[in-house]
Amino acid sequence: MKVSYNWLKDYLKCDLNPQQVADAMTSIGIEVDGVEEQEAVEGGLANVVVAEVLTCEPHPDSDHLHVTTVNDGGAEPVQVVCGAPNVAAGQKVLFAQIGAVLPGDFKIKKSKIRGVESFGMICAEDELGIGTSHAGIMVLPADAKVGTPAKEYLKLETSAVIEYEITANRVDAASHWGVARDLYAYLKLNNIPCELCKPSVDAFKEGAGAGIPVEVLDSKGAPRYTGITVKGIKVGPSPEWLQKKLESIGSRPINNIVDISNFVLFELGQPLHTFDASKIEGGKVIVRRAAAGDTIKTLDGVERKLAATDMVIANASAPMCIAGVFGGEESGVTENTVDVFVESAYFDPASIRKTSKSQTLQTDASFRYERGADPEVPLFALKRAVLLIQECAGGTVTGGIQEVYPEKISRAAIDLDYNRIESFIGKKIGHDVIENILGWLQYDFVSKSADGAKVLAPSYMIDVTRECDVVEEILRIYGYNNIELPRHMKMSVNATPSPQPEAVRNGISNFLAANGFTEIMNNSLTKGDYYEKLKTFPADHCVRIVNPLSQDLNVLRQTLILSGLEVVAYNVNRQIGSMKTFEYGSVYQRLPEKNGETLEGYEEHQCFTLMITGTPDKSWRTDAGKSSYYQLKGYLELLLKRFGADIYQLWNEPAPADIFSEGMIYKLPGKGQQLAMMGTVNPSLAKRFGVKQPVFAAEINWKVLFELVKRDKVAFKELPKFPEVRRDLALLLDESVTYEQLRAAAFKQSKGLLKQVGLFDVYRGDKIPAGKKQYALSFVIQDLEKTLTDQDTERLMERLLTTFQAQFGAQLR
């Protein structure tokens, strides 16, 4: 958002420079992003000075060029070749020295023109950007002082534009008048001379005859509507002053009528709309909700289908514009327009916001209306616009102001206790200071007492309804920096839970990042269509948004896996086929009642999701291995082990087939709480996202994992003094026997000597009977009390083999 410094000073007379104004704005809660200086002429005519032509002779090799000597105030005159027919000795001119940059990025350099050197340029009006004439050079009066900068001589002003941001509740500062009003209170408090000058509309007069009548069919959507008819206008370019004001804040001038609407918008913060009166069929303006089947072609040329909740301004047959959002192409002002109907209204903020979002239209008008415009400004703004139309386009007011305002919007009445206010502030600033600030901010005092008052909040302050809101306004003007910190501060110290959830989450993130994973972040809002064919996360369990920004963001996600697939698809489509990602975030579900018949209640919990896919780039140092189910399982196992969970002590069951083509669900023993699920993402699911390569994913329930972390007790013991022994066994087993069963049986028989079991080979094929497989297992054996002998090791290995043979029918290979 922008305000012009010069434009702002039309309403606030003060001696502050642009930077001081910007600093004051930031101090009162209008955060300034920057101050940009704007020259009246591009480049500010730097290195262009008043000069005198001392001599003027014909060019020896041209019948239209002249060779002159020019005094530009320097130590020596300079030679200049000039092609203007009116150049002559004794003239005072504007001279562009070497190094000057004229409008259009035209750089003045030393040159040679038909064999004669030239050290600058004597300028015409159009070359300087201050006129359109190119008939000859610009000749100045004889009293012009040589060496005077052109900017100073021409009295070109340097303007400044202040760019700033406002919070959603400060739409009152979205205009020059709104900023001036706040600054006035700040300057008065700090005893800086200033004057607040509101534009006058005293010259406004209603006309004779009958104007176009107004009928409001939905006063809830349009609590206040005003309009007036002006006939006999002439549409054309705006006067220079109006064009410059709009251009200074980046608004493109269109014509005088449209420009006046924009001018009042940026001056007062009140959106207006002007209709071509000849396009109002039936001779009546009707304010209503859109009817079934209503469409409108808006000013951007788009045919839009309207919803029944959309407010429209209509004539007898069709909508003319989307109320408070965007105008219609058919009813807009053109160069042939002679009579107009000018609208100034207050629309319901919720209604405008809903229409703006559903139609995906964000305009200057909707920005202000949906945040809450001032309901008392429409009439003043209408009069202001009419006076400007008469000034810039002529015309005569026909009839009186048409106003529909069935129920006056009341201002908030607030009881104030000055002592309590000072307690909130933390400093006794004085009751008179409180009253002065409120008066400068245009609060009205209904009654006063020694220690308080009853006030009416200004109509432009939509969010001021309680005493604490008033405290905020007082502090904003008084200045938070002016509240000294007390010498003694009291605070409560809360016991920190151990372990700290945030520290554990960061530890998990750091662990994954150290293992080559990249953290991703996705929107919690996602597309409801993703869940239509899923059984694990059914569509009727989605938490749906009542008024979604778009159909792509209409539900809250039930799982992080689907948004992770979006990331995979995005990267694969950009030639990044190999990646390892993780995400931490919330997931949401509607919960069924206990009888399972209806859905009621909601659940939110957090998850970690890991995803790997593709083949890493080849390197001379390492072999590039493809991503696999077992690679992801290894990462999951390491992660759980790092935080005190042994994956082999968890219950497991097959993962849901609609999410994974193969995979496992891991649950806590006893309660059966689901800790994680992992596997190969079902190719049909991946294909819905445009992903053709295998993707492997794991989703960990953070709440359940943290419960495991809390149970984990870290103990320290000294390093072993005695060596470990490694042995291998190759076993022929039935296909039904799992590695997990063998591992559990081995540890049960080891009596504390077995430290590690590993599966380093699985073989099926030649010389292996049908229904059989070969496992190659490794065993790490160690006694913490002594060095193991060969006999000790062999006895243990024999016990293990006997166990495998007895329990699983294993055969030694």
Side-chain angles (χ1 to χ4, degrees):
M1 197 155 292
K2 296 179 179 180
V3 291
S4 163
Y5 171 74
N6 289 345
W7 191 352
L8 185 67
K9 291 190 72 174
D10 290 346
Y11 317 111
L12 183 66
K13 309 296 183 184
C14 66
D15 294 329
L16 270 63
N17 61 40
Q19 188 57 54
Q20 289 172 324
V21 169
D23 293 342
M25 288 172 63
T26 298
S27 177
I28 59 177
I30 305 173
E31 185 178 356
V32 171
D33 292 330
V35 179
E36 177 189 352
E37 289 195 349
Q38 292 183 340
E39 301 287 355
V41 175
E42 183 183 346
L45 298 183
N47 294 325
V48 179
V49 298
V50 175
E52 182 179 5
V53 181
L54 300 178
T55 64
C56 181
E57 302 293 338
H59 193 288
D61 195 26
S62 173
D63 58 356
H64 69 279
L65 296 176
H66 298 84
V67 180
T68 67
T69 54
V70 173
N71 173 21
D72 62 354
E76 298 290 337
V78 294
Q79 179 174 281
V80 180
V81 177
C82 181
N86 64 330
V87 65
Q91 291 176 336
K92 297 289 181 66
V93 295
L94 289 176
F95 174 63
Q97 301 168 320
I98 291 175
V101 180
L102 300 183
D105 199 30
F106 181 64
K107 299 177 182 178
I108 304 300
K109 303 175 182 177
K110 176 184 175 181
S111 60
K112 186 176 283 188
I113 303 175
R114 294 199 178 185
V116 178
E117 289 185 323
S118 180
F119 297 89
M121 186 174 82
I122 302 173
C123 301
E125 283 184 4
D126 63 333
E127 293 166 334
L128 295 172
I130 57 175
T132 57
S133 174
H134 195 68
I137 61 171
M138 186 176 178
V139 181
L140 307 180
D143 60 354
K145 186 177 179 181
V146 172
T148 303
K151 180 179 177 180
E152 180 182 330
Y153 178 80
L154 296 171
K155 297 181 180 177
L156 299 178
E157 292 185 352
T158 298
S159 182
V161 172
I162 301 170
E163 190 165 355
Y164 66 101
E165 295 180 2
I166 58 171
T167 52
N169 65 325
R170 290 303 315 279
V171 72
D172 60 285
S175 66
H176 286 75
W177 172 249
V179 173
R181 180 174 51 207
D182 267 15
L183 285 172
Y184 174 74
Y186 173 82
L187 298 180
K188 292 292 288 184
L189 179 68
N190 290 278
N191 297 316
I192 299 173
C194 61
E195 181 183 356
L196 189 64
C197 305
K198 190 172 185 177
S200 173
V201 294
D202 293 342
F204 173 82
K205 293 182 180 178
E206 295 184 339
I212 296 173
V214 172
E215 182 180 8
V216 178
L217 301 181
D218 191 328
S219 58
K220 184 178 179 181
R224 185 178 192 182
Y225 191 91
T226 66
I228 197 165
T229 306
V230 182
K231 293 186 175 182
I233 66 164
K234 181 174 178 59
V235 178
S238 296
E240 184 180 2
W241 69 266
L242 179 52
Q243 292 191 41
K244 284 187 173 181
K245 284 188 184 295
L246 293 177
E247 287 172 344
S248 69
I249 58 171
S251 180
R252 179 176 62 88
I254 298 173
N255 60 53
N256 47 7
I257 302 302
V258 175
D259 292 349
I260 286 168
S261 293
N262 290 334
F263 176 84
V264 173
L265 171 72
F266 295 120
E267 178 187 54
L268 300 174
Q270 172 62 33
L272 304 176
H273 192 73
T274 307
F275 300 91
D276 186 328
S278 66
K279 305 291 179 63
I280 303 176
E281 295 182 21
K284 179 190 285 188
V285 171
I286 303 170
V287 185
R288 60 174 173 82
R289 299 281 179 180
D294 272 350
T295 61
I296 184 172
K297 191 174 185 180
T298 46
L299 290 171
D300 56 359
V302 177
E303 188 79 23
R304 300 180 185 276
K305 184 178 180 180
L306 300 173
T309 55
D310 296 336
M311 289 293 297
V312 296
I313 312 301
N315 55 33
S317 61
M320 297 187 293
C321 83
I322 304 175
V325 180
F326 211 24
E329 189 175 76
E330 296 297 325
S331 62
V333 173
T334 68
E335 65 272 10
N336 300 319
T337 298
V338 177
D339 303 332
V340 295
F341 178 82
V342 185
E343 162 198 286
S344 179
Y346 172 79
F347 296 110
D348 175 55
S351 175
I352 298 301
R353 178 172 175 79
K354 189 169 186 177
T355 298
S356 174
K357 297 304 178 186
S358 65
Q359 297 291 344
T360 63
L361 282 170
Q362 179 71 60
T363 61
D364 286 323
S366 67
F367 177 86
R368 288 158 175 81
Y369 276 132
E370 67 187 31
R371 286 162 175 78
D374 184 349
E376 292 189 6
V377 163
L379 188 60
F380 180 89
L382 184 68
K383 293 178 180 179
R384 174 72 166 152
V386 169
L387 291 174
L388 289 170
I389 289 173
Q390 291 178 316
E391 176 186 340
C392 301
T396 304
V397 175
T398 302
I401 292 174
Q402 303 292 315
E403 181 174 25
V404 180
Y405 194 14
E407 186 175 346
K408 183 177 175 62
I409 299 173
S410 58
R411 294 158 60 182
I414 306 168
D415 291 316
L416 304 180
D417 183 318
Y418 293 159
N419 293 324
R420 187 164 54 234
I421 288 175
E422 289 180 328
S423 176
F424 284 152
I425 292 173
K427 179 180 178 180
K428 290 191 175 297
I429 63 175
H431 298 179
D432 56 335
V433 172
I434 293 173
E435 291 183 355
N436 287 337
I437 290 175
L438 296 179
W440 294 325
L441 289 175
Q442 300 179 4
Y443 283 76
D444 288 334
F445 285 83
V446 178
S447 61
K448 292 183 180 181
S449 65
D451 294 320
K454 184 173 185 176
V455 298
L456 294 179
S459 57
Y460 66 82
M461 289 187 175
I462 59 168
D463 65 327
V464 177
T465 57
R466 302 167 298 168
E467 185 181 58
C468 57
D469 300 327
V470 178
V471 174
E472 183 181 346
E473 294 301 309
I474 294 169
L475 260 175
R476 191 169 58 79
I477 301 302
Y478 186 80
Y480 287 92
N481 292 337
N482 293 325
I483 308 298
E484 299 85 1
L485 291 175
R487 295 183 62 184
H488 301 285
M489 299 186 69
K490 298 178 181 180
M491 64 184 70
S492 60
V493 178
N494 295 324
T496 303
S498 181
Q500 296 183 40
E502 189 66 28
V504 176
R505 282 199 298 269
N506 289 336
I508 294 173
S509 298
N510 292 337
F511 172 84
L512 293 171
N515 280 278
F517 284 79
T518 300
E519 184 171 10
I520 61 175
M521 296 179 68
N522 288 294
N523 198 336
S524 293
L525 295 172
T526 187
K527 187 185 294 188
D529 292 346
Y530 289 161
Y531 297 92
E532 290 300 329
K533 298 180 181 179
L534 298 182
K535 295 180 179 178
T536 306
F537 304 107
D540 58 357
H541 284 209
C542 286
V543 178
R544 298 191 175 272
I545 307 303
V546 175
N547 185 25
L549 296 173
S550 74
Q551 292 307 304
D552 287 343
L553 300 170
N554 60 350
V555 301
L556 289 168
R557 62 189 177 189
Q558 294 189 57
T559 174
L560 302 183
I561 293 175
L562 302 187
S563 53
L565 287 172
E566 287 182 326
V567 174
V568 171
Y570 182 90
N571 283 274
V572 168
N573 290 337
R574 286 157 181 79
Q575 311 303 315
I576 304 173
S578 175
M579 68 199 80
K580 297 193 294 186
T581 67
F582 78 94
E583 180 177 10
Y584 173 81
S586 295
V587 295
Y588 312 83
Q589 275 192 327
R590 293 182 64 196
L591 295 178
E593 287 186 346
K594 290 182 179 180
N595 58 21
E597 295 180 359
T598 58
L599 293 169
E600 186 175 297
Y602 301 92
E603 181 199 25
E604 173 186 353
H605 67 269
Q606 290 70 44
C607 292
F608 271 99
T609 293
L610 286 61
M611 302 191 85
I612 62 174
T613 185
T615 303
D617 294 335
K618 292 183 179 180
S619 168
W620 63 271
R621 293 178 292 112
T622 58
D623 292 330
K626 290 184 178 180
S627 300
S628 70
Y629 173 92
Y630 296 103
Q631 184 185 13
L632 179 63
K633 183 172 181 289
Y635 286 124
L636 180 62
E637 183 177 345
L638 281 173
L639 176 61
L640 295 179
K641 186 175 181 180
R642 166 67 177 80
F643 292 96
D646 186 348
I647 198 170
Y648 298 105
Q649 294 178 359
L650 301 173
W651 290 352
N652 61 70
E653 61 187 49
D658 57 337
I659 305 296
F660 300 108
S661 57
E662 60 174 345
M664 301 293 292
I665 290 177
Y666 294 100
K667 296 183 175 182
L668 299 186
K671 294 182 179 180
Q673 292 176 289
Q674 181 172 313
L675 171 62
M677 63 177 179
M678 65 151 291
T680 306
V681 175
N682 193 310
S684 62
L685 177 60
K687 190 175 180 180
R688 289 172 60 185
F689 292 83
V691 179
K692 298 178 181 179
Q693 65 191 46
V695 180
F696 310 95
E699 187 162 273
I700 307 168
N701 187 314
W702 160 249
K703 183 178 179 180
V704 178
L705 176 60
F706 188 64
E707 286 300 318
L708 282 179
V709 174
K710 288 195 291 186
R711 296 179 198 173
D712 185 38
K713 304 299 181 183
V714 178
F716 297 90
K717 58 185 177 181
E718 63 177 325
L719 293 173
K721 298 178 180 179
F722 304 100
E724 60 186 28
V725 178
R726 295 176 183 269
R727 290 288 187 271
D728 298 337
L729 283 178
L731 302 174
L732 185 65
L733 300 158
D734 290 337
E735 282 285 3
S736 60
V737 179
T738 65
Y739 164 69
E740 180 185 6
Q741 292 172 324
L742 296 172
R743 183 180 182 277
F747 276 107
K748 189 174 181 179
Q749 285 294 325
S750 69
K751 298 182 179 180
L753 295 179
L754 187 61
K755 301 303 178 188
Q756 187 176 327
V757 179
L759 176 63
F760 64 87
D761 187 46
V762 179
Y763 178 69
R764 297 177 180 87
D766 188 32
K767 298 181 181 179
I768 300 295
K772 298 286 187 177
K773 61 185 174 183
Q774 177 182 293
Y775 273 2
L777 301 172
S778 64
F779 302 88
V780 177
I781 307 166
Q782 186 179 46
D783 192 328
L784 300 179
E785 303 296 330
K786 65 179 182 177
T787 300
L788 288 169
T789 64
D790 290 342
Q791 292 80 7
D792 295 331
T793 305
E794 292 305 322
R795 279 197 297 270
L796 176 59
M797 295 304 297
E798 287 176 5
R799 285 205 309 271
L800 293 178
L801 180 58
T802 301
T803 299
F804 295 153
Q805 290 171 337
Q807 293 187 19
F808 309 110
Q811 299 176 38
L812 182 65
R813 293 281 290 174

